[in-house]
Amino acid sequence: MAHFRDDEARSIILETYGRVCSDGETVARAFYAPEELDTLPRDAVGMSLGVGHPVRHAGLRAGETVLDLGCGAGIDTLLAARAVGPTGRVIGLDMTPEMVERAGWNAAAAAPANVEIRQGLIEEIPLPDASVDVVISNGVLNLSTRKSRVLAEAFRVLRPGGRISITDLVLEEALPEDVLKSPAALAG
Amino acid sequence: MLLKKFFNVGFADITVAERAAFGLDDIARYPLFAPDFLEFLRRAIPAERHRELVFSIAVKASKPVAPANLAR
């Protein structure tokens, strides 16, 4: 049962992720190797809010086009850009203006010419059909009240033979109702 | 449930590459949650679930070259 309407959920996510700040690297250090993090902009590492390492499982190859759904401050976007190299391209998509701005700064600081950051909804991906080789996402699908819609959009923008690699949180046993109704729980 | 959603939109070769328990201590690492909310979770959720609140999973899948389940 949905505890939040789509617009309510979106508002909570925008507010929570718009104001989040972190100067630590605790989350990133749990999922990424030190040698991966040491060469990335500190802000991208410090603002890592993911729950895994989707790039590790994506099998990215030089020259591929990658879409990072809910790119946040851009840690996976930048790692993907490194993996696909200068002949590849990575598009980071996020609905939160503050995260788009941060990801843009971090992409500029890391200086890969093959990264583009866009603002938009993962439920309405602003890309043409069959235009990317790989979709990645890290801890974002669970934030959407329309998960099937997000996956259908990912399917639409992938080329035939394309791949998706996501890391996310799943609930295998229900939580107490008052927890599920909490906006703070939704945002996490 | 999540894997079924992948299947329903047409993905194939759906694989869970990783699965790990995510507990309250893991959640507390994130700057998204205020201390009072974490305290609320500790009180509201039975202690035996504090180490396995949710699971983090890595899912891989592919879009078939010729979509087999387009009708779904």
Side-chain angles (χ1 to χ4, degrees):
Chain A
M1 176 189 154
H3 292 85
F4 297 94
R5 291 194 321 266
D6 189 43
D7 59 328
E8 289 174 331
R10 193 170 293 160
S11 171
I12 291 165
I13 302 301
L14 275 168
E15 201 271 334
T16 304
Y17 285 78
R19 67 174 157 74
V20 69
C21 56
S22 170
D23 57 3
E25 298 180 352
T26 318
V27 175
R29 296 279 170 203
F31 302 112
Y32 303 90
E35 57 271 23
E36 289 179 302
L37 300 179
D38 290 347
T39 55
L40 292 175
R42 188 149 182 238
D43 182 72
V45 175
M47 288 296 292
S48 172
L49 301 171
V51 298
H53 194 329
V55 175
R56 181 185 296 147
H57 300 290
L60 298 179
R61 297 184 285 262
E64 288 190 315
T65 297
V66 180
L67 169 64
D68 183 3
L69 291 180
C71 66
I75 187 167
D76 296 309
T77 305
L78 297 178
L79 289 172
R82 186 179 297 167
V84 299
T87 58
R89 177 179 172 226
V90 183
I91 303 151
L93 178 69
D94 205 286
M95 74 168 178
T96 314
E98 293 85 350
M99 287 296 182
V100 169
E101 191 173 29
R102 278 178 180 275
W105 291 337
N106 290 327
N114 57 347
V115 171
E116 178 188 344
I117 306 297
R118 291 193 187 188
Q119 186 173 352
L121 301 176
I122 59 175
E123 295 89 351
E124 297 165 25
I125 298 173
L127 290 175
D129 295 358
S131 56
V132 305
D133 298 301
V134 183
V135 172
I136 61 171
S137 187
N138 192 356
V140 173
L141 185 58
N142 73 84
L143 302 176
S144 176
T145 55
R146 295 189 292 160
K147 295 171 182 59
S148 293
R149 167 73 186 191
V150 176
L151 291 174
E153 277 290 274
F155 189 87
R156 178 184 67 77
V157 301
L158 278 171
R159 295 190 178 108
R163 298 150 358 246
I164 184 168
S165 171
I166 72 150
T167 51
D168 219 312
L169 296 180
V170 292
L171 194 58
E172 295 190 355
E173 190 181 337
L175 291 171
E177 194 70 6
D178 49 351
V179 173
L180 295 174
K181 285 179 180 169
S182 161
L186 172 78
Chain B
M1 189 80 153
L2 180 63
L3 300 186
K4 190 162 186 204
K5 291 183 195 298
F6 275 82
F7 180 77
N8 285 345
V9 302
F11 283 110
D13 308 318
I14 304 160
T15 308
V16 177
E18 272 184 24
R19 179 179 176 276
F22 221 77
L24 269 176
D25 290 342
D26 299 305
I27 285 168
R29 289 198 301 252
Y30 290 76
L32 298 165
F33 306 110
D36 59 340
F37 176 70
L38 293 169
E39 186 51 41
F40 161 68
L41 290 181
R42 287 188 197 284
R43 278 186 280 107
I45 296 168
E48 61 269 23
R49 285 199 62 191
H50 285 187
R51 285 174 175 228
E52 289 191 356
L53 208 55
V54 292
F55 287 85
S56 69
I57 59 169
V59 181
K60 297 192 299 183
S62 61
K63 179 173 180 173
V65 174
N69 52 352
L70 202 58
R72 273 193 291 272

